[in-house]
Amino acid sequence: MAATALPPLPPQFKSIQHHLRTAQELDKREPVVAYYCRLYAMQTGMKIDSKTPECRKFLSKLMDQLEAMKKQFGDNEAITQEIVGSAHVENYALKMFLYADNEDRAGQFHKNMIKSFYTASLLIDVLTVFGELSEENVQHRKYARWKAAYIHNCLKNGETPQPGPIGMEGESFADVEREEAGSSSLNSGTTQPTSSSTYEANNIPTSNYTGIHIPPGAHAPANTPAEVPHNTGVTSNTIQPAPQNIPLVDPSLYSAQSPGEVRLTPEDFARAQKYCKYAGSALQYEDVSTAVQNLQKALKLLITGRE
């Protein structure tokens, strides 16, 4: 995969270390997502410090990794077309979020679901390489990061977490960050997951989440992108596929005006194309519900000119 070994991580780049570690973990399983994790780290690192020698050296090696991956997966549409790549990363992040949310609401608290919550928040960070985040993704990121901190601290203190969205103050991740600091380095060039879960203390919200809108935990498909980190002592039961709740077709579409009566702008066509790409990406994960929802959005936009 990314064969070029990275030099030691400069202290200035501490904020991107977990995104790079996530890329390592996903190299074999989800190389497209791993590529965009590195691209996010590259773009963020350039903004932080691209002038000091150690930072320039690190960014140069990271660029080599990106170029190598781009050559290897150059025929992959998710690499060559940003709109497809964005849909791919977003669907993967949502799958990880929904897996953790489903476990949380079922009262199944373990390190795997904590890791999934936090990794989902990291992948939503990565979506910023494609542009500004939607308000929904901003909320998901804050909630996932807060949930990871809250559940971790409850388990650490021998307390039973409360499932689902609840009113809680911000949680400190200082202990976890200290554990993470000595876990492993990023300069090995390997794709082996680290032995500790990947959390970060930065940007944990301090607001109350009683009224936040989080979608109900959908049944995670058999190929949900969550796995137990090595050597955690946690065992994971195989997740069995469950019947999916397929949304009904919006009846208003049947009585909508004909396409000839609507004047669509280039922006309308672009948005409709985006929804179709999202639907195609969802089908890669056998997520019929998300695919149907996005196709209905595209159909409604094309028929009515409105979303």
Side-chain angles (χ1 to χ4, degrees):
M1 200 56 57
T4 305
L6 293 175
L9 185 76
Q12 298 95 312
F13 293 163
K14 181 181 178 181
S15 64
I16 60 173
Q17 64 179 330
H18 301 301
H19 301 86
L20 290 170
R21 187 168 288 114
T22 298
Q24 288 182 344
E25 294 177 4
L26 296 177
D27 269 334
K28 292 182 180 179
R29 203 162 74 251
E30 276 289 339
V32 168
V33 181
Y35 171 82
Y36 284 111
C37 285
R38 289 188 174 92
L39 182 59
Y40 169 83
M42 181 74 189
Q43 292 181 355
T44 305
M46 291 287 289
K47 294 175 184 177
I48 294 172
D49 188 343
S50 62
K51 295 182 179 180
T52 58
E54 61 177 350
C55 290
R56 291 180 63 181
K57 180 180 178 181
F58 187 89
L59 292 172
S60 176
K61 292 296 184 182
L62 183 56
M63 177 67 77
D64 290 343
Q65 287 191 348
L66 284 166
E67 289 300 320
M69 294 187 76
K70 202 166 186 179
K71 287 181 180 178
Q72 184 174 358
F73 304 104
D75 58 346
N76 191 315
E77 195 177 36
I79 297 292
T80 59
Q81 296 188 33
E82 281 197 356
I83 192 170
V84 182
S86 176
H88 190 92
V89 175
E90 185 172 20
N91 273 284
Y92 194 83
L94 183 60
K95 285 300 173 188
M96 190 162 281
F97 179 93
L98 290 178
Y99 163 73
D101 189 48
N102 190 50
E103 292 288 278
D104 173 42
R105 291 170 188 263
Q108 301 296 322
F109 306 110
H110 48 82
K111 289 184 178 180
N112 189 23
M113 62 92 72
I114 296 173
K115 178 180 174 70
S116 293
F117 261 135
Y118 191 69
T119 303
S121 77
L122 296 178
L123 296 181
I124 295 175
D125 286 342
V126 171
L127 287 174
T128 60
V129 304
F130 304 106
E132 188 176 352
L133 293 178
S134 67
E135 181 59 32
E136 184 179 31
N137 279 333
V138 170
Q139 288 196 359
H140 282 170
R141 180 174 61 181
K142 289 181 179 179
Y143 181 80
R145 198 161 289 176
W146 168 75
K147 260 295 181 180
Y150 166 64
I151 297 172
H152 168 83
N153 290 334
C154 283
L155 297 182
K156 176 177 176 288
N157 297 326
E159 302 170 358
T160 301
Q162 296 184 47
I166 53 175
M168 288 291 294
E169 295 303 315
E171 299 290 334
S172 171
F173 242 84
D175 289 345
V176 179
E177 192 171 48
R178 281 194 292 271
E179 293 173 10
E180 180 70 13
S183 62
S184 69
S185 63
L186 287 167
N187 62 347
S188 62
T190 64
T191 59
Q192 189 70 11
T194 61
S195 60
S196 64
S197 301
T198 53
Y199 316 121
E200 186 178 31
N202 297 341
N203 302 321
I204 293 176
T206 57
S207 55
N208 184 296
Y209 284 93
T210 304
I212 194 169
H213 173 69
I214 299 297
H219 290 292
N223 59 349
T224 187
E227 66 178 15
V228 181
H230 290 193
N231 304 321
T232 59
V234 178
T235 57
S236 174
N237 296 327
T238 302
I239 300 170
Q240 299 297 328
Q244 299 189 44
N245 294 320
I246 309 302
L248 297 174
V249 175
D250 185 353
S252 66
L253 295 177
Y254 293 118
S255 57
Q257 58 195 114
S258 64
E261 300 173 10
V262 177
R263 293 192 177 185
L264 299 174
T265 67
E267 290 76 15
D268 292 330
F269 286 111
R271 286 199 297 272
Q273 183 185 37
K274 179 186 70 174
Y275 289 132
C276 291
K277 294 290 186 182
Y278 284 178
S281 184
L283 289 176
Q284 292 181 351
Y285 295 107
E286 302 176 4
D287 186 351
V288 178
S289 177
T290 300
V292 171
Q293 289 174 355
N294 280 287
L295 288 172
Q296 287 199 91
K297 288 179 180 178
L299 189 60
K300 181 178 180 180
L301 179 60
L302 293 174
I303 292 177
T304 68
R306 301 188 303 273
E307 294 189 74

